[in-house]
Amino acid sequence: MVQLPIVNDLGFFEIRLESIGGLGANLAGKMLAEAGVVGAGLNGVSFSSYGSEKKGSAVKAHIRFCDLNTHIRDTSPVERPHVVGVFHEALAKTVNVTSGILEHSTVLVNSAKSPDELKELLKMKAGTIAVIDGTSIALKEKNRVNMAMLGALFRLCPFLDTETMKGVIEKSLGKKYPQAVQSAITTFERGYNEVQFMQFELAAGDSMPEYVRSDIGVLGYDTQPIGGSIINPGSTFLKNLSISRSGMLPAYDNESCIHCAQCDTVCPDQCFVWEERIDRKGRSQMFLTGIDYQYCKGCLKCVGACPTSALSSQREKEGYADSHTVHHQFDLVTQD
């Protein structure tokens, strides 16, 4: 039996995966736990929490490992993780992905940024930041981000055996998706070999953020708005779906657009911004002016529906959405 590098007071080595629906964190957690139990001879458990929204909604997967003499009777969420896997760096915009980390915790991020840049983005005071560009690897190998992240997680958890994991991949995918087994293994191996990490020491006199339980609400009986009003409902113009994009987005070329509205017909989130103008024949027509990327989750249905080359799919680069977005004008709601 292998020796765990560190455990908490209950004898557990704990991992938390932060993701969005569609990137495979739930499956990754199950495969990770199976590799620890079958290959490393540990006690282990994996479970996930997610809402009914599925693709694009926030997902958490929780994994615990311990030696065979320790019983797992705790199935509460992992609040003080030794390792955190962040499947989408944009999650940090809306989710406290580093909640509960310790001074010696490791945070693995799917990103093309450097560890120094991520330290600022995640507002980490100390710990180890590991980086893997899982999205690029997955697109190159025609597979999913979760396999690249699993490879990197195995690098960070040396008590897990990579050969066992390859067997788990074949077992999990072989029956339903036999054509994806080899690309999944290749993606896993690249994640293992290409992950980079950097350790940051806690500054002298500084301390880690105070731990706050996630199940304690910000609003209580003495802080609730009058009438129990929901001051920031997610179904309004305030919503931000940009964290749902998993590497690709639609690019708009106005010169090629014939304003047929096929894109608007298939768009599930009303991303396209229209303006009423007079056409060449003096008639009032609606003209497409651009995309409000705040509401775009990168489903690319519009690209498939476009009859011209006005819409094309491209890899999202840092700052592209902010610099190319055309905002909706909700005159009845805002003062703009």
Side-chain angles (χ1 to χ4, degrees):
M1 186 179 69
V2 301
Q3 186 72 29
L4 291 168
I6 189 172
V7 294
N8 61 16
D9 294 340
L10 296 176
F12 300 141
F13 180 89
E14 299 189 324
I15 302 171
R16 186 176 72 225
L17 306 181
E18 302 273 1
S19 183
I20 58 172
L23 295 184
N26 182 32
L27 177 61
K30 293 177 180 178
M31 297 172 79
L32 192 65
E34 183 174 347
V37 172
V38 175
L42 298 166
N43 272 342
V45 66
S46 170
F47 54 95
S48 300
S49 59
Y50 46 87
S52 60
E53 299 87 350
K54 298 181 181 178
K55 185 174 182 180
S57 61
V59 172
K60 295 180 187 289
H62 311 275
I63 303 97
R64 286 189 173 92
F65 291 120
C66 59
D67 62 48
L68 292 177
N69 297 319
T70 303
H71 298 291
I72 301 179
R73 295 191 175 96
D74 183 5
T75 54
S76 62
V78 171
E79 298 283 10
R80 301 289 270 175
H82 298 102
V83 175
V84 177
V86 183
F87 279 51
H88 198 310
E89 68 176 84
L91 269 169
K93 295 179 180 178
T94 56
V95 179
N96 184 9
V97 294
T98 59
S99 170
I101 64 169
L102 306 166
E103 186 178 345
H104 55 262
S105 296
T106 299
V107 179
L108 170 67
V109 187
N110 170 26
S111 175
K113 292 185 172 68
S114 68
D116 288 302
E117 291 174 314
L118 289 171
K119 181 176 182 291
E120 295 298 321
L121 175 67
L122 301 176
K123 297 179 175 59
M124 284 180 58
K125 291 187 175 182
T128 300
I129 295 181
V131 186
I132 183 68
D133 192 357
T135 301
S136 293
I137 294 174
L139 291 173
K140 176 70 174 178
E141 302 299 337
K142 295 180 173 58
N143 207 268
R144 300 178 72 187
V145 168
N146 60 348
M147 290 296 111
M149 290 292 287
L150 272 173
L153 286 166
F154 266 65
R155 181 76 174 274
L156 303 176
C157 302
F159 56 87
L160 298 176
D161 179 46
T162 57
E163 294 303 315
T164 299
M165 187 62 210
K166 293 176 184 178
V168 173
I169 292 174
E170 292 181 4
K171 175 185 173 183
S172 301
L173 303 179
K175 290 185 179 180
K176 292 184 68 175
Y177 310 104
Q179 72 281 0
V181 170
Q182 187 52 54
S183 64
I185 292 176
T186 301
T187 305
F188 172 81
E189 290 176 337
R190 287 192 60 183
Y192 183 89
N193 294 322
E194 296 178 24
V195 63
Q196 299 178 350
F197 36 89
M198 182 179 295
Q199 186 174 359
F200 298 92
E201 299 293 338
L202 190 63
D206 203 352
S207 60
M208 295 296 287
E210 185 177 350
Y211 169 60
V212 179
R213 286 177 50 176
S214 64
D215 59 347
I216 298 179
V218 176
L219 299 177
Y221 72 92
D222 59 346
T223 55
Q224 185 77 16
I226 294 176
S229 304
I230 300 175
I231 57 177
N232 189 15
S235 59
T236 71
F237 74 99
L238 297 171
K239 67 181 178 179
N240 190 331
L241 298 177
S242 62
I243 64 168
S244 304
R245 292 196 291 271
S246 53
M248 306 295 290
L249 51 63
Y252 175 58
D253 175 25
N254 184 61
E255 297 297 324
S256 304
C257 184
I258 58 175
H259 311 285
C260 64
Q262 290 295 324
C263 54
D264 203 40
T265 302
V266 299
C267 179
D269 294 293
Q270 298 179 329
C271 305
F272 294 93
V273 182
W274 297 83
E275 183 178 75
E276 187 174 2
R277 303 179 197 157
I278 303 299
D279 66 9
R280 297 176 181 176
K281 297 182 179 180
R283 299 172 302 184
S284 177
Q285 299 285 349
M286 299 301 292
F287 289 83
L288 180 61
T289 60
I291 302 173
D292 194 334
Y293 286 104
Q294 174 179 333
Y295 307 101
C296 176
K297 59 190 177 189
C299 69
L300 302 181
K301 291 180 180 179
C302 56
V303 176
C306 182
T308 69
S309 58
L311 290 169
S312 59
S313 62
Q314 71 174 34
R315 176 71 193 278
E316 182 173 4
K317 296 180 180 179
E318 183 76 19
Y320 179 89
D322 291 335
S323 61
H324 288 78
T325 196
V326 176
H327 291 291
H328 280 294
Q329 294 297 321
F330 297 107
D331 298 330
L332 298 179
V333 182
T334 68
Q335 300 300 316
D336 296 341

